[in-house]
Amino acid sequence: MSSLIERWQQAGMNNYGVPQAAFVRGEGAVITDEDGKQYVDFLGGIAVNALGHAHPAVVAAVTQQVRQLGHISNFYVAEPPVALAELLLALAGRAGRVVFTNSGAEANEAAFKISRLTGRTHVVATHGGFHGRTMGALALTGQPAKSDPFRPLPGSVTHTTFGDLSELSEAVTADTAMVILEPIQGENGVVVPPAGYLRGARDICDKAGALLVLDEVQTGIGRTGHWFHHQSEGIEPDIITLAKGLGGGLPIGACVAFGRAAELFTPGAHGTTFGGNPISCAAGLAVIRTIAGEGLLDHVKRVGEQLRRGVEGLNHPLISHVRGAGLLLGIVLTAPEAARVAAALKEAGFLVNAPQPDVIRLAPPLIISTEQADALIEALGGVL
Amino acid sequence: MTTRHFLRDDDLTPDEQNAVLELAAQMKADRFAYRPLEGPRSVAVFFDKVSLRTRLSFEAGIAELGGQPLIVDTQATHFGRGESLSDAGRVVSRYVAAMVFRTTGDERLVELAADVHVPVINALTDGFHPCQLLADLLTIRERLGATRGKKLAYVGDAANNMAHSYLLAGASAGMHVRVAGPSGFDPAAAVVSRAAEIAAWTGGSVEVLRDPLEAADGVDVIATDTWTSMGQENDGRDRLTPFWPYQVNGKLLGVAAEGAIVLHCLPAHRGEEITDEVMDGPQSAVFDQAENRLHAQKALLAWLLSVNQS
């Protein structure tokens, strides 16, 4: 019998390239491939597995919910989506409204559509930004290699340099409906803007009457040691988009809007069949309650700092520095060898990825232990 | 060992908050049986702002615990003037078993406590009023039997210290906390977020609303506070026009659950944030609430002294 990878090559569309491994089991931060080899998962399903694999709280919540009440459509309502919406608003600290989606791209599509309902059509995004692969979200994404084959794309979108407030200020006009930014650009190699960038963007949007949308799909739900990364700067966006860590492995996204932005959708303006599915929402509630109850936000900050110091402390000439926040970290290399290093780490039993030729991304489960962090640092020192 | 202070409501974990409230109930039932300050050991109580209930409840409470209260009007001393609050705190901490401070900005309290190895207690700041909340939770337990799962609405100035303390302490107590105030008087987002984090852990919940009737709908407790907090009397903001819909009156109480109680931390501006009808009505618990400052603060002091010794 052929391996899973061989079978995939016969049956799967070739849009992801050949899978690097085939996994059969996961527990906590450790996953096992079909040959029985174990890996410590420092990628977390690309920042998705907030509580790692098979966390008892998620397993229990999903099992209980699927037994009690599964899908009901958005003609009706059940407790989990209401409770999750209330909890997200409370964590944001402000009154607002939520629409649930199935993914981060869809959450950004919702934000895009909300911005159109302001009566304006111009949008400002950033070079290197990643907001998803559906056509609307792709128009916002500032990575030409991903978007060029699909032009023309929707909308009137201006891309500005991430971190450059003067360029942002020039681009935003009285016709601008929204500015969409990631607080930290994850897919672009964990790029952190200069301090004050988000606050400056807030001011620019306020002056022009544009909505400020923060794509927290990768940075939200505790990833950087805050519920939402913008809280570390104390600013108040009009919309935040979420996904990835929210479901702890189940598919769910959310577009969370405040103030006037929260009132723009009216019946018929938007919808999605599975959005707000009680099972995914039950998983979301379990994820948030576990992060809160186990003090994981503080843990994220501590282990993130341990990783940063440990990696930089290797003092290896191939390592320039570590950037990012909490457990979303980019190890910046002095040469374009990230793919080689990632492959070598995989051989050593650690999963990471290389979003840029010279950047290795770490986005482990928020439950990653200090011992596992030390083990990665040691392994990295061995493979460089 | 790090000294445990009580600077904001979430300085106590939910279990610790419960332990303090249990102790407060015991102290209330057997008022003169607890003497942890016997000696007498002294407790310094500093006031940057005037006070009636806080001053007398601490003064009486410290005496009842066998201690000596040292009440200090900071305007009449060098406290915090001519030297840093941190230095002043270090000096005073060598004289006393604990310090209590009523002041303006929370940063003043934090500075006082920075290098102090006796417990420091927040007796009201612009940000929080955590001693009041211990009294309020004790009152809710007495009147309603428990806090966990009960619904509380705070209506009025949702940007003030009472709103913040209801959010944090209510969430710790496993309550469903709603706050509602007019636009421009919203609670600090960071406090709401922290309260929601605690609520996710205790099984409570937190909501920020605009409509007072929606907030009060079906709740077990309605709480309010003056629309003009201490120090805001001359800030020029119109605090009457936007607040009228938030008055706790018969209509608002009418949408609460049957048997709901009303809390007000006093002093009350009758006819503004609360009507005579409600304040003097059968559902008012405000005078029990005022008494409970004494018992709750005694328990807090005893508990802090105990954990800092262990």
Side-chain angles (χ1 to χ4, degrees), chain A residues 4-57:
Chain A
L4 277 173
I5 293 173
E6 288 165 342
R7 288 163 58 198
W8 181 91
Q9 284 178 295
Q10 296 300 315
M13 280 200 196
N14 191 29
N15 56 317
Y16 294 116
V18 179
Q20 299 166 37
F23 292 113
V24 294
R25 192 176 309 110
E27 185 176 0
V30 176
I31 49 178
T32 306
D33 74 12
E34 59 183 351
D35 297 325
K37 180 174 177 179
Q38 291 193 323
Y39 302 81
V40 186
D41 181 6
F42 270 84
L43 187 57
I46 315 182
V48 164
N49 298 318
L51 302 181
H53 300 268
H55 192 284

Side-chain angles (χ1 to χ4, degrees), chain A residues 68-383:
Chain A
Q68 181 181 333
L69 180 67
H71 183 79
I72 53 171
S73 92
N74 287 307
F75 291 125
Y76 313 103
V77 73
E79 171 71 17
V82 177
L84 184 59
E86 288 171 345
L87 189 48
L88 288 173
L89 291 168
L91 290 174
R94 301 159 63 200
R97 297 182 185 277
V98 178
V99 62
F100 287 113
T101 63
N102 306 296
S103 67
E106 259 196 84
N108 287 327
E109 293 280 349
F112 200 168
K113 285 178 70 176
I114 287 171
S115 81
R116 287 290 181 94
L117 295 177
T118 62
R120 302 181 182 189
T121 54
H122 177 239
V123 171
V124 177
T126 56
H127 296 301
F130 184 85
H131 303 289
R133 306 274 200 149
T134 54
M135 289 296 271
L138 194 58
L140 306 172
T141 292
Q143 299 185 6
K146 296 184 172 85
S147 55
D148 281 353
F150 302 99
R151 292 186 184 282
L153 292 163
S156 156
V157 184
T158 303
H159 287 94
T160 63
T161 304
F162 186 59
D164 187 331
L165 278 175
S166 61
E167 212 177 298
L168 187 67
S169 180
E170 272 180 36
V172 176
T173 71
D175 296 324
T176 303
M178 73 169 179
V179 172
I180 184 165
L181 307 168
E182 294 159 279
I184 295 174
Q185 287 187 332
E187 298 298 312
N188 196 32
V190 194
V191 180
V192 182
Y197 180 62
L198 296 183
R199 179 161 298 282
R202 174 73 275 177
D203 291 344
I204 289 165
C205 287
D206 284 344
K207 280 181 191 137
L211 300 177
L212 176 63
V213 180
L214 292 185
D215 177 336
E216 296 247 24
V217 167
Q218 192 155 153
T219 52
I221 314 297
R223 171 59 50 193
T224 69
H226 304 271
W227 287 108
F228 314 111
H229 187 68
H230 71 266
Q231 291 176 326
S232 68
E233 291 212 18
I235 65 149
E236 297 188 345
D238 299 294
I239 296 177
I240 51 178
T241 56
L242 302 167
K244 291 195 181 283
L246 178 56
L250 273 83
I252 182 170
C255 176
V256 185
F258 308 97
R260 67 178 171 127
E263 309 301 332
L264 291 171
F265 269 167
T266 50
H270 195 60
T272 170
T273 295
F274 295 102
N277 176 291
I279 301 162
S280 292
C281 290
L285 285 166
V287 166
I288 292 173
R289 287 170 180 159
T290 303
I291 292 172
E294 297 187 1
L296 289 178
L297 295 184
D298 288 339
H299 177 76
V300 164
K301 290 175 190 154
R302 279 196 301 273
V303 180
E305 195 54 29
Q306 176 193 352
L307 281 164
R308 178 195 302 272
R309 288 184 184 188
V311 171
E312 289 182 342
L314 291 172
N315 288 320
H316 193 280
L318 192 53
I319 294 176
S320 165
H321 61 285
V322 178
R323 65 192 180 199
L327 286 175
L328 179 61
L329 297 172
I331 303 172
V332 183
L333 305 181
T334 54
E337 295 194 35
R340 175 189 71 78
V341 174
L345 279 172
K346 177 167 165 279
E347 279 306 302
F350 297 89
L351 298 180
V352 301
N353 90 320
Q356 292 292 323
D358 59 346
V359 181
I360 294 165
R361 173 172 48 186
L362 307 181
L366 310 187
I367 55 155
I368 197 88
S369 70
T370 55
E371 292 80 10
Q372 287 165 327
D374 279 338
L376 175 83
I377 295 161
E378 188 183 339
L380 181 64
V383 304

